[in-house]
Amino acid sequence: MPLIKEADSGTPPSAATEVVSLTIDGQTVMAPAGTSVMRAASAMGTAIPRLCATDSLQAFGSCRLCLVEIDGRAGTPASCTTPIADGMVVRTQTPRLAKLRKGVMELYISDHPLDCLTCAANGDCELQDMAGAVGLREVRYGYDGANHLCAEADESNPYFTFDPSKCIVCSRCVRACDEVQGTFALTIDGRGFASQVSASQLQPFMESECVSCGACVQACPTAALTETAVIEIGQPEHSVVTTCAYCGVGCTFKAEMRGEQLVRMVPYKDGKANRGHSCVKGRFAWGYATHRERVLNPMIREAVTDPWREVTWSEAIAYAASEFSRIQAAHGRNSVGGITSSRCTNEETFLVQKLVRAGFGNNNVDTCARVCHSPTGYGLKATFGTSAGTQDFDSVEHSDVIVVIGANPTDGHPVFASRMKQRLRQGAHLIVIDPRRIDLVRTPHIQADHHLPLRPGTNVAVLNALAHVIVTEGLVDEAFVRERCDWDEFQDWAESVSAPANSPEASEAFTGVPAETVRQAARLYATGGAAAIYYGLGVTEHSQGTTAVIAIANLAMATGNLGKLGAGVNPLRGQNNVQGACDMGSFPHELSGYRHVSDDDARGVFEALWDVELDAEPGLRIPNMLDAAVQGAFKGLYIQGEDILQSDPNTTHVAAGLAAMECVVVQDLFLNETANYAHVFLPGSTFLEKDGTFTNAERRIQRVRKVMSPRNGHGDWEITQMLSNAMGFAMNYTHPSEIMDEIASLTPTFAGVSFAKLDEEGSVQWPCNTAAPLGTPVMHLDGFVRGKGRFMLTEYVATDEKVGPRFPLLLTTGRVLSQYNVGAQTRRTANVAWYNEDLLEIHPEDAEQRGVRNGDWVSLKSRAGETSLRATVTERVAPGVVYTTFHFPQTQANVVTTDYSDWATNCPEYKVTAVEVALSNGTTDWQTRYQSHTRRSRRIAQPEPAE
């Protein structure tokens, strides 16, 4: 399709319901009160010239180009900052206005390089457009006087350049950094002729507080801020709207192309999850799609000690199918299984679980949600009746109190975090419950009302202490509970949390959170208005992860913070389609739509359509598969788009499980860490090369559209279909839309979903069915899906992972803004300029005791294993706590995490590992052996010369 040009009305819309009438250029116009004259004129098709105005930012009135004449008013007011009034008569084009505008434009152009023909923004420059719009043909002032034409460009950022010689100081970039991103990295330094855009305190962009979200680049009306790719490739010629393949926010982008070459990803204003914003990953970090390390040809080998051998697709598929069939014939139907991908589309994920259930004949299918949000599925389904968050992202704009627990939105979900920060700046209150001092605790213009720096592993104790205060101080919303919840279960719960053992004073000894802080936070949450809880993996990745999710649900029900805007329980999903992977039936005990495999009626619907008998018994979870492999009972695994060797806990045990298997098939973009133990490698396709849908953290189903041909030759759904057909279970889809039609026919919550509807509406949130044909933004409006909300007891049980003399510190893990998950994508982009190795955060007290200084190599040792990395001494962590990331295989941080897991779901306890830190000379023996094994396992045999 041609390049999509989004309409820009100059100023944001008015929220007023009152409509006023005015006359613009002789035409009667009706618009909401508070609308700017500029926007009202735009609605009737009149584009008033402008440079500083755009409808993604508040009106500023600095460029003096949008002047108009209004009857009865002196002068020529700016149309962007002038609100309409009933009976107002406006003229947008008169000789006087034309002369003024032309004069203003002359001043701009007199201090601007006249290099339009060679400028990267040629054809996409608002300054150029406005010069034409006002009819400017010459500049009377000359170029001999003082100017800024020799200002030096800042090329420090790998993704965009800043050329101050082309800056017109319109402040759009500064305002975007404020109003859209909320980072305040940019400002206007100096006054008058000396005014200039400054990153932080006149620093290069890469040394400033800039987070490279791209909002400034998008806002710039000239070539002052320009993407490097546009400079190198040229202006795009066509675009396709698609969905980002990074985190669970699910941002919508315009992929702007030249032929099949991607030029830039531009946030789409109509994207309901991101509202035209982006982060450094989604906006810029797409270069991995064409990275030289990407594998494009299938490969096989008989043993993992052999070099890889490139083969045809037909040979690779035939070999994988024959191996799985051989294994099942020798070891039984349950000896093989599959893992679906939270990075692939709903349609691709659905086919993998279908292949396992109907083709393999068992339920041995699992997904990465096992190791991140499986407690969410269990806990929210048990209490509310649905395995997903309750709100849409827009809901945060109505929150009076925001609780963030076990999540770091500014790093993990940055676009949503920007919206959250805007609401906080408007006056909403914030409670942060986290062992670390994350950015939200204190950043420019934002400070948490309360930070509860709990000791890792004590989430449930803190949540019970909050509940204790709410119940014992009479802060329960009794009317809500009596009407919407089971009263008897509530009373049992209230009696339990009211026990003295759950008081803030009693729990302070082991949580480390002052009792008075807990009490104040509880009162604020219960009485501060609409209160929303947002949580992440710091809640779920614990031995009591499910208990903590249930405790959060209990708090929301007890205070009536459900079924309304601004409230709710909201899990911040990690990967782009982890919600969708769960929806599609990727757990061994559930079919799509979260129906248990033992449900005869639900299973019968699938059996009738697929013409096969399905197993009524749940299959193996990922940890069970690995355990069974070590024991010799599980022999074959098909892994779609996951790197379990780097992402799953206790790396040594994962490696042992994979090494014990006879056929491991990895389908991915790169030879990842898991592929070190693979026998078949099937090259996957990127999100840029496929059609389908993703479902984000707010249950929003969005289209993914192909913008280029698959470089590997096939979409991921086609690869699964080929494997299924080779194994004797026929699949005959011709397009992913047909797979979605099947999903809709089998899954009640997706019954109204189709590609046609998504193309028409942009996106919908499930449940989408006859009862809610356009989806459900806010859940549980009139009642819970399960009927009455269920209060459940949440006794705090300390983890079995204990500190002691050998391992006195507690390790917790997380992510950074510039890197994503195991780093397979972002490590192959310029994002490594910000973060190119895992670092260990350690408190100054703990560092001093061990003689550790900033940048020192340290060993990180636990009961499970040992690795080494560099240290960062910081007060972000409390004494006794250390923190690191898991983005780089050189570190393999999960070699130290244990196999302790959640009691209900086996979600690993990544967030609590007893460790010791000591000075080191560099990599450990284990790292040296691992890196040597990796080099050997990635050898690719050279093709034999033709005879």
Side-chain angles (χ1 to χ4, degrees):
M1 63 173 64
L3 197 65
I4 299 170
K5 292 288 187 180
E6 298 174 86
D8 189 333
S9 298
T11 61
S14 169
T17 56
E18 178 191 357
V19 175
V20 299
S21 174
L22 71 158
T23 301
I24 301 179
D25 295 336
Q27 296 186 43
T28 300
V29 180
M30 307 287 287
T35 299
S36 70
V37 170
M38 177 180 286
R39 188 176 183 92
S42 177
M44 59 173 274
T46 297
I48 300 175
R50 62 175 188 264
L51 282 171
C52 72
T54 177
D55 59 12
S56 62
L57 303 171
Q58 296 299 315
F60 195 58
S62 70
C63 74
R64 312 313 296 168
L65 202 61
C66 70
L67 307 176
V68 294
E69 293 180 353
I70 301 175
D71 285 5
R73 296 195 188 184
T76 51
S79 61
C80 63
T81 56
T82 303
I84 61 174
D86 202 41
M88 178 182 281
V89 177
V90 180
R91 281 180 291 278
T92 69
Q93 191 66 38
T94 67
R96 178 191 183 197
L97 293 173
K99 182 178 180 181
L100 289 171
R101 290 171 182 160
K102 189 176 292 187
V104 169
M105 279 303 303
E106 277 191 274
L107 292 172
Y108 280 121
I109 300 301
S110 70
D111 193 13
H112 198 84
L114 295 181
D115 59 354
C116 291
L117 291 179
T118 58
C119 179
N122 186 26
D124 187 32
C125 174
E126 293 179 44
L127 185 68
Q128 190 180 60
D129 294 342
M130 291 304 105
V134 303
L136 184 64
R137 298 293 177 264
E138 62 178 350
V139 177
R140 295 168 293 170
Y141 305 119
Y143 295 92
D144 295 333
N147 58 55
H148 302 88
L149 300 180
C150 294
E152 186 176 348
D154 178 358
E155 298 178 346
S156 62
N157 191 290
Y159 292 125
F160 60 83
T161 64
F162 173 56
D163 185 349
S165 72
K166 297 180 180 180
C167 177
I168 60 172
V169 200
C170 64
S171 293
R172 272 168 60 167
C173 60
V174 176
R175 290 147 56 207
C177 194
D178 166 359
E179 298 175 26
V180 179
Q181 170 58 28
T183 296
F184 299 91
L186 303 181
T187 187
I188 300 296
D189 183 82
R191 301 183 67 180
F193 188 75
S195 298
Q196 60 182 317
V197 171
S198 166
S200 293
Q201 296 180 340
L202 292 177
Q203 295 171 284
F205 270 79
M206 278 298 285
E207 296 176 16
S208 73
E209 295 171 305
C210 171
V211 294
S212 297
C213 68
C216 60
V217 180
Q218 188 171 2
C220 182
T222 71
L225 286 160
T226 305
E227 286 101 327
T228 305
V230 173
I231 297 172
E232 295 174 349
I233 301 170
Q235 286 293 324
E237 60 187 13
H238 70 277
S239 56
V240 180
V241 175
T242 191
T243 303
C244 180
Y246 277 116
C247 76
V249 174
C251 296
T252 306
F253 282 89
K254 293 184 297 178
E256 297 192 342
M257 315 286 296
R258 286 190 67 86
E260 287 215 333
Q261 187 172 19
L262 180 58
V263 178
R264 62 186 174 193
M265 295 286 284
V266 179
Y268 194 46
K269 284 166 56 176
D270 289 339
K272 295 178 182 177
N274 58 317
R275 304 293 185 189
H277 191 31
S278 62
C279 79
V280 62
K281 295 188 290 290
R283 180 68 188 262
F284 298 118
W286 38 263
Y288 67 89
T290 54
H291 194 274
R292 58 181 174 80
E293 292 180 1
R294 184 173 167 191
V295 180
L296 301 177
N297 298 310
M299 300 186 296
I300 62 175
R301 58 185 176 183
E302 292 185 4
V304 297
T305 54
D306 296 338
W308 286 105
R309 179 167 56 91
E310 290 189 355
V311 296
T312 64
W313 273 104
S314 58
E315 185 177 351
I317 293 295
Y319 182 80
S322 65
E323 282 293 280
F324 283 138
S325 298
R326 176 189 64 79
I327 290 170
Q328 287 190 297
H331 301 282
R333 184 183 65 184
N334 291 317
S335 59
V336 300
I339 298 175
T340 73
S341 174
S342 294
R343 290 188 287 123
C344 288
T345 65
N346 287 319
E347 295 74 17
E348 291 160 346
T349 299
F350 182 83
L351 285 201
V352 172
Q353 65 88 32
K354 180 178 180 178
L355 166 63
V356 173
R357 299 189 198 280
F360 292 176
N362 61 50
N363 289 316
N364 295 337
V365 62
D366 210 349
T367 189
C368 89
R370 173 67 52 213
V371 299
C372 61
H373 267 289
S374 51
T376 287
Y378 188 108
L380 295 188
K381 185 173 183 180
T383 52
F384 300 160
T386 55
S387 299
T390 63
Q391 315 293 117
D392 62 0
F393 289 149
D394 288 346
S395 179
V396 75
E397 298 172 4
H398 304 273
S399 296
D400 300 306
V401 178
I402 298 170
V403 179
V404 176
I405 174 171
N408 187 2
T410 56
D411 281 24
H413 304 85
V415 171
F416 173 69
S418 293
R419 300 183 67 182
M420 181 186 289
K421 288 192 290 185
Q422 299 302 337
R423 179 58 187 157
L424 293 170
R425 289 172 57 203
Q426 293 167 4
H429 297 282
L430 175 64
I431 300 166
V432 174
I433 307 174
D434 198 285
R436 293 176 74 230
R437 193 186 69 226
I438 62 173
D439 285 348
L440 283 178
V441 173
R442 186 170 60 251
T443 50
H445 299 267
I446 292 171
Q447 182 164 332
D449 294 78
H450 304 290
H451 176 210
L452 282 58
L454 75 172
R455 189 169 178 79
T458 61
N459 284 333
V460 172
V462 169
L463 291 165
N464 283 346
L466 292 168
H468 176 94
V469 175
I470 290 168
V471 172
T472 58
E473 294 189 4
L475 306 180
V476 171
D477 186 340
E478 186 173 328
F480 179 92
V481 174
R482 286 186 178 276
E483 177 186 353
R484 302 281 298 275
C485 306
D486 186 298
W487 181 251
D488 291 337
E489 290 175 340
F490 164 75
Q491 289 182 305
D492 292 340
W493 170 78
E495 181 180 359
S496 172
V497 297
S498 297
N502 287 320
S503 70
E505 289 73 18
S507 62
E508 179 178 342
F510 49 89
T511 66
V513 183
E516 185 57 27
T517 302
V518 174
R519 289 190 175 276
Q520 292 177 7
R523 293 163 186 155
L524 177 59
Y525 174 71
T527 65
I533 298 176
Y534 294 91
Y535 71 89
L537 306 186
V539 164
T540 56
E541 291 179 344
H542 289 270
S543 59
Q544 281 201 294
T546 295
T547 310
V549 173
I550 293 170
I552 288 171
N554 289 340
L555 283 177
M557 289 188 290
T559 55
N561 277 303
L562 288 161
K564 62 183 181 182
L565 287 174
V569 173
N570 308 281
L572 293 174
R573 304 285 189 163
Q575 297 196 73
N576 55 298
N577 201 38
V578 69
Q579 179 69 61
C582 299
D583 298 341
M584 293 300 101
S586 293
F587 287 135
H589 66 291
E590 287 178 335
L591 301 165
S592 63
Y594 305 97
R595 291 160 294 167
H596 203 278
V597 294
S598 64
D599 184 329
D600 293 340
D601 292 337
R603 201 173 62 257
V605 175
F606 288 80
E607 291 176 333
L609 183 62
W610 294 351
D611 192 26
V612 66
E613 184 177 345
L614 300 180
D615 193 342
E617 291 296 321
L620 298 176
R621 299 168 174 175
I622 293 174
N624 307 138
M625 295 180 195
L626 296 169
D627 291 343
V630 171
Q631 295 162 8
F634 190 84
K635 296 290 187 178
L637 185 59
Y638 171 40
I639 307 173
Q640 177 202 58
E642 294 294 344
D643 190 0
I644 62 173
L645 188 67
Q646 188 176 342
S647 65
D648 284 30
N650 196 345
T651 302
T652 304
H653 179 62
V654 176
L658 291 169
M661 298 182 198
E662 295 179 6
C663 182
V664 175
V665 177
V666 168
Q667 182 174 321
D668 215 309
L669 304 175
F670 307 99
L671 279 173
N672 58 24
E673 306 312 300
T674 304
N676 292 348
Y677 295 89
H679 305 83
V680 180
F681 188 88
L682 303 176
S685 56
T686 71
F687 79 109
L688 297 168
E689 301 162 344
K690 62 181 63 174
D691 283 299
T693 58
F694 292 151
T695 306
N696 73 351
E698 52 171 356
R699 297 171 283 104
R700 187 178 301 282
I701 308 161
Q702 302 183 98
R703 284 279 278 116
V704 181
R705 295 179 178 88
K706 183 187 296 186
V707 304
M708 61 178 67
S709 302
R711 299 183 68 224
N712 63 335
H714 297 284
D716 286 301
W717 67 274
E718 294 176 294
I719 299 169
T720 303
Q721 176 166 282
M722 289 190 292
L723 180 59
S724 183
N725 290 335
M727 292 199 66
F729 180 71
M731 293 185 186
N732 299 295
Y733 308 101
T734 61
H735 191 268
S737 61
E738 298 170 3
I739 307 173
M740 176 52 75
D741 291 342
E742 181 174 320
I743 294 167
S745 71
L746 293 170
T747 313
T749 49
F750 276 65
V753 180
S754 67
F755 277 30
K757 173 169 282 187
L758 295 175
D759 289 341
E760 180 181 352
E761 300 295 332
S763 64
V764 296
Q765 291 172 266
W766 67 258
C768 177
N769 45 35
T770 53
L774 296 180
T776 310
V778 178
M779 296 280 281
H780 317 302
L781 286 173
D782 302 312
F784 292 100
V785 170
R786 69 179 308 277
K788 292 287 188 178
R790 181 185 181 191
F791 282 87
M792 300 176 67
L793 302 187
T794 55
E795 179 186 359
Y796 167 65
V797 178
T799 174
D800 289 334
E801 178 72 348
K802 310 290 187 185
V803 295
R806 287 184 60 207
F807 304 107
L809 304 174
L810 283 177
L811 168 71
T812 187
T813 62
R815 303 177 181 178
V816 296
L817 170 64
S818 60
Q819 295 295 329
Y820 173 69
N821 204 32
V822 297
Q825 295 148 281
T826 45
R827 280 189 282 109
R828 292 174 171 92
T829 70
N831 278 28
V832 293
W834 287 275
Y835 196 79
N836 61 8
E837 62 180 326
D838 293 316
L839 299 170
L840 183 76
E841 293 185 3
I842 184 169
H843 191 273
E845 289 182 15
D846 296 321
E848 184 178 4
Q849 291 173 9
R850 292 159 177 80
V852 174
R853 295 173 298 182
N854 251 335
D856 283 348
W857 277 98
V858 295
S859 66
L860 180 67
K861 188 174 183 179
S862 73
R863 296 178 177 92
E866 181 181 9
T867 188
S868 65
L869 66 171
R870 296 185 190 274
T872 295
V873 180
T874 175
E875 292 186 350
R876 273 182 174 268
V877 291
V881 177
V882 292
Y883 169 89
T884 191
T885 54
F886 54 95
H887 301 304
F888 292 86
Q890 294 90 338
T891 306
Q892 282 287 61
N894 281 320
V895 74
V896 303
T897 54
T898 68
D899 51 11
Y900 288 121
S901 63
D902 174 51
W903 61 269
T905 66
N906 280 135
C907 184
E909 191 169 44
Y910 292 108
K911 305 304 183 187
V912 187
T913 304
V915 297
E916 176 58 303
V917 174
L919 283 170
S920 168
N921 291 325
T923 55
T924 63
D925 290 342
W926 179 87
Q927 286 172 298
T928 301
R929 292 195 305 273
Y930 179 82
Q931 290 165 14
S932 176
H933 170 72
T934 298
R935 287 192 295 271
R936 288 196 307 272
S937 71
R938 295 184 183 177
R939 290 173 298 152
I940 299 176
Q942 297 299 313
E944 296 181 3
E947 295 184 1

